[in-house]
Amino acid sequence: MPVSTQSDSVTAAASPTLVTPSLLRDWPLPAPGADKYSRGSVLVIGGARATPGAALLAGTAALRAGAGKLTLAVAESVAMQLGVALPECGAMGLPETAEGSVTGEGLDRISSYLDRADAILVGPGLDDLDLAEELLRALLERESGSGDPGSGDDNPGDGPVVVLDAYALGGLVKVADQLEPWKGRLILTPNPMEAAVLLERDVEDLAADIAEIADKFQAVVSCQGFIARPSGGDAPEESELWKMTTGYGGLGTSGSGDVLAGAIAGLRARGTTSAQAACWGTHLHAAAADRLASRLGPLGFLARELADELPALMLELNT
């Protein structure tokens, strides 16, 4: 891939690599493979009783991005409804509070799904910051046990990629000192307000700040048209910061971020690198908005319509 080497995050922020159709064609997605099992499995954890649609949007986007299998782990009071709304998924119910918020308990119910997933997306539809933190702690504690996939005690970097979005990002700050089990396999998809939470200060220079978040959490980060990976290391990509060259204001619509996170999780499950999934997913998300804006107008298209555009866009770019 024709990108330039960046010596550190400051230099990278000053001259990001532009994500263009030409660059993506030189950075092709994995071949589809023979069946659904070869395209990877995505597990989405979220979907409180009041916000089940966020998990639905994320899961739909993961399948539209080409993932082979999908499971939604959501509040038990809405699991059946989501399973009917998206019959292509498996739907598992998680313990919830009286108000319908997903708790950090009950991971034993989805233990086999956690073990088999290629990408785990946590956050879409979670609606309680404290409980989101508890959920992250429970997931990390599970992986820290001897013999668990991705155990930090055995093979750091092994195991499924973990994509964090929405309220899960608020919980991430509270568990920053416990992230060793997820080292090398975190992807974060904050909006600028969530980026400020991760930095614990106001966002001043988005490009430089996204690079700082990537280094702080050793994660690939996608935020409002910028993608950064941790500086240095042995990543196959030479660049450390990328910038989108497309995208429309209509992306500022309810559920848009859930579609982005789901698309990135779906692409990553297919066997891309984390940076490739973030660059491709962010471009596809923005290009889908451009396409809808040209047909429907700059405002008023729906987040679920973004996901429907993904297959055709991938076909155009990956041939």
Side-chain angles (χ1 to χ4, degrees), residues 204-231:
E204 299 169 354
D205 178 331
L206 189 59
D209 288 342
I210 298 311
E212 182 178 334
I213 293 171
D215 285 340
K216 178 178 180 179
F217 294 99
Q218 289 298 290
V220 168
V221 183
S222 173
C223 179
Q224 202 164 351
F226 286 98
I227 297 93
R229 69 166 180 85
S231 57

Side-chain angles (χ1 to χ4, degrees), residues 153-167:
D153 297 331
D154 297 322
N155 297 299
D158 290 350
V161 69
V162 179
V163 185
L164 301 183
D165 184 50
Y167 272 40

Side-chain angles (χ1 to χ4, degrees), residues 128-318:
D128 185 293
L129 280 173
D130 292 334
L131 291 176
E133 177 190 342
E134 289 181 15
L135 175 58
L136 293 185
R137 290 187 187 278
L139 288 166
L140 286 162
E141 288 170 4
R142 179 182 184 277
E143 291 208 17
S144 294
S146 176
D148 282 344
S151 168
D153 297 331
D154 297 322
N155 297 299
D158 290 350
V161 69
V162 179
V163 185
L164 301 183
D165 184 50
Y167 272 40
L169 295 167
L172 180 64
V173 176
K174 306 290 185 65
V175 299
D177 60 344
Q178 300 174 41
L179 295 178
E180 184 64 25
W182 289 346
K183 183 178 180 181
R185 52 193 179 96
L186 262 181
I187 302 176
L188 311 180
T189 57
N191 60 34
M193 291 181 61
E194 291 160 344
V197 171
L198 294 172
L199 289 167
E200 299 180 89
R201 61 168 175 79
D202 291 340
V203 171
E204 299 169 354
D205 178 331
L206 189 59
D209 288 342
I210 298 311
E212 182 178 334
I213 293 171
D215 285 340
K216 178 178 180 179
F217 294 99
Q218 289 298 290
V220 168
V221 183
S222 173
C223 179
Q224 202 164 351
F226 286 98
I227 297 93
R229 69 166 180 85
S231 57
D234 57 358
E237 294 85 15
E238 294 178 346
S239 185
E240 293 174 0
L241 186 79
W242 294 263
K243 182 180 179 180
M244 292 298 112
T245 58
T246 188
Y248 207 89
L251 281 172
T253 188
S254 180
S256 174
D258 302 310
V259 173
L260 173 62
I264 290 173
L267 291 168
R268 185 64 177 84
R270 290 177 55 185
T272 67
T273 67
S274 292
Q276 185 183 16
C279 286
W280 265 90
T282 305
H283 176 88
L284 291 170
H285 182 246
D290 282 346
R291 186 159 293 187
L292 288 170
S294 69
R295 290 207 309 267
L296 303 176
L299 296 176
F301 58 78
L302 305 178
R304 65 173 177 263
E305 295 171 319
L306 292 166
D308 293 342
E309 300 292 328
L310 301 182
L313 286 165
M314 286 189 297
L315 180 62
E316 292 171 15
L317 288 169
N318 216 36

Side-chain angles (χ1 to χ4, degrees), residues 61-182:
L63 290 176
R64 288 296 195 188
K69 297 187 68 178
L70 170 70
T71 302
L72 304 182
V74 298
E76 53 193 349
S77 61
V78 297
M80 181 176 69
Q81 294 92 320
L82 286 182
V84 173
L86 186 61
E88 297 86 355
C89 79
M92 301 294 297
L94 294 175
E96 61 187 271
T97 66
E99 294 75 28
S101 298
V102 174
T103 74
E105 302 172 356
L107 291 185
D108 56 308
R109 299 186 185 183
I110 58 171
S111 181
S112 62
Y113 298 93
L114 287 165
D115 291 342
R116 294 197 300 263
D118 296 289
I120 300 170
L121 169 55
V122 186
L126 296 181
D127 63 355
D128 185 293
L129 280 173
D130 292 334
L131 291 176
E133 177 190 342
E134 289 181 15
L135 175 58
L136 293 185
R137 290 187 187 278
L139 288 166
L140 286 162
E141 288 170 4
R142 179 182 184 277
E143 291 208 17
S144 294
S146 176
D148 282 344
S151 168
D153 297 331
D154 297 322
N155 297 299
D158 290 350
V161 69
V162 179
V163 185
L164 301 183
D165 184 50
Y167 272 40
L169 295 167
L172 180 64
V173 176
K174 306 290 185 65
V175 299
D177 60 344
Q178 300 174 41
L179 295 178
E180 184 64 25
W182 289 346

